[in-house]
Amino acid sequence: MKNQTINTIGFIGLGVMGNSMCKNLLQNKNWSIMVNDINKNKEEDLHNHGAIIASDIEDLFDKSDVIITCLPGGSFVYEMYFGKQNMISFIKPNQYIVDMSTSQPDLMVKLNVDIKKKNSFFADAPIGKTRQAAIDGTLAIMVGSDLDTFKHLVPIFNLMGEDIMHCGDVGSGQLTKIMNNMILFETVVALSEAANIAEKYGMNVGKLFNNITKCSGDSFALKNHGIKSIAKDHFPSPAFSSEYALKDLSYALELGNKLKIKLPGAETAKKLLQTSIEQGDKDLYFPVIKKYLK
């Protein structure tokens, strides 16, 4: 049954990323998009772009061939599937369930076990890059699933992203995302250190960073978090906040603890993120940690 036609996609979670992702899915007129979010204004916004508003989550599961969840983190995913919402009970045979939140790999494995019992298929598919990439449909999508499930879902992923990766079995998408974010957060610490040195020395940070784009220190983080945010002391909200960054980093630290691996760079980033939150910057774009190195 893995080659059945996709007629309806149910999408749960219309936040900063999910809203734009859902709008990109609406470009394909061969399927319908049914949406659900706790914020009814967000549902109405998607309805104005052609989506159908589900009367409730059970209605969405009943009418969808593919269900995508894009939630703030693992605790929300667990609560939705196994808590009061008990979404696991709504899954029908031969449905495809896709979680595009950033969550713990072990939670994805648990979900997969329970979804298989329903004779359905699961993929963890967390997303990478920026809010603008979600708008442009150029996200990185890191997929953990069996290969047949991945191939079936690729047409959906192609409307939301440009770098679609099959990372391996269920859980490997999340592991890839968590390690990516750990590297990103630690790189932002290094960029913030460099910016603070440049400022004290009297060199323009933007010029320094632009110079480094032509050297071995170049990176996605430099071009985006460095030049667009740190060099300009521009830390907007809504964006990928300090609170969300700390949540994602906590998953890496949990893995390090479980596997008995020391992560001193991640611990440093954790302390800076905690300080920014304690100082009232929890909703600001996470490179705001630059302020707390001074």
Side-chain angles (χ1 to χ4, degrees):
M1 294 294 293
K2 282 203 175 190
N3 294 316
Q4 71 262 40
T5 302
I6 298 171
N7 295 309
T8 302
I9 298 170
F11 202 108
I12 300 171
L14 307 173
V16 171
M17 305 296 273
N19 180 284
S20 298
M21 292 158 63
C22 202
K23 286 174 180 173
N24 284 324
L25 290 179
L26 286 162
Q27 295 174 29
N28 187 330
K29 304 305 178 185
N30 293 323
W31 55 46
S32 299
I33 304 297
M34 181 173 278
V35 297
N36 176 273
D37 193 275
I38 194 169
N39 186 324
K40 300 308 170 186
N41 291 330
K42 292 179 179 178
E43 290 184 340
E44 287 295 335
D45 177 49
L46 266 298
H47 179 64
N48 291 337
H49 283 81
I52 302 162
I53 299 175
S55 58
D56 55 30
I57 287 176
E58 188 171 2
D59 178 49
L60 183 143
F61 271 82
D62 184 56
K63 295 175 180 174
S64 300
D65 306 296
V66 178
I67 294 94
I68 297 173
T69 50
C70 189
L71 304 172
S75 61
F76 291 85
V77 174
Y78 185 90
E79 177 61 27
M80 291 288 280
Y81 280 97
F82 301 111
K84 288 183 180 179
Q85 297 281 4
N86 195 27
M87 293 197 315
I88 202 79
S89 68
F90 302 145
I91 297 171
K92 301 182 299 182
N94 298 311
Q95 280 184 317
Y96 287 79
I97 313 300
V98 185
D99 183 50
M100 303 189 78
S101 321
T102 300
S103 305
Q104 303 93 325
D106 287 353
L107 175 57
M108 299 296 98
V109 172
K110 174 177 171 54
L111 260 174
N112 187 48
V113 168
D114 284 27
I115 288 167
K116 275 186 173 181
K117 291 176 183 176
K118 300 277 187 174
N119 293 314
S120 295
F121 313 104
F122 178 67
D124 62 291
I127 53 176
K129 296 186 184 176
T130 61
R131 178 175 49 170
Q132 188 61 48
I135 294 168
D136 297 339
T138 58
L139 291 167
I141 302 177
M142 295 149 270
V143 186
S145 70
D146 66 70
L147 192 56
D148 286 345
T149 296
F150 173 74
K151 289 177 178 177
H152 187 76
L153 296 170
V154 162
I156 295 173
F157 296 145
N158 280 340
L159 279 177
M160 298 183 286
E162 63 179 3
D163 295 310
I164 316 300
M165 296 159 266
H166 184 241
C167 301
D169 293 337
V170 167
S172 62
Q174 294 292 357
L175 182 65
T176 304
K177 172 66 186 291
I178 292 165
M179 294 299 98
N180 173 81
N181 281 16
M182 182 182 76
I183 293 166
L184 171 63
F185 302 149
E186 292 182 40
T187 304
V188 166
V189 173
L191 291 169
S192 298
E193 290 173 341
N196 286 340
I197 288 172
E199 287 172 355
K200 287 282 188 180
Y201 188 82
M203 183 175 183
N204 179 271
V205 176
K207 185 172 180 62
L208 171 68
F209 283 173
N210 274 293
N211 289 342
I212 294 172
T213 64
K214 302 173 181 66
C215 304
S216 57
D218 188 25
S219 67
F220 177 91
L222 174 65
K223 290 189 175 79
N224 288 275
H225 304 77
I227 291 172
K228 297 176 183 178
S229 179
I230 294 169
K232 298 178 180 179
D233 285 319
H234 178 60
F235 313 112
S237 175
F240 190 62
S241 68
S242 290
E243 188 171 52
Y244 276 14
L246 182 60
K247 179 264 300 180
D248 283 8
L249 186 60
S250 73
Y251 300 151
L253 290 164
E254 284 175 19
L255 282 166
N257 185 57
K258 178 181 177 180
L259 300 171
K260 295 181 171 53
I261 295 171
K262 293 181 179 179
L263 301 173
E267 289 287 355
T268 297
K270 173 188 173 182
K271 290 174 184 175
L272 290 166
L273 288 165
Q274 286 176 326
T275 301
S276 72
I277 292 166
E278 290 164 2
Q279 295 299 314
D281 291 339
K282 73 180 182 70
D283 295 323
L284 297 187
Y285 192 29
F286 81 89
V288 73
I289 62 174
K290 174 197 174 191
K291 290 165 47 177
Y292 302 101
L293 282 164
K294 292 185 177 180

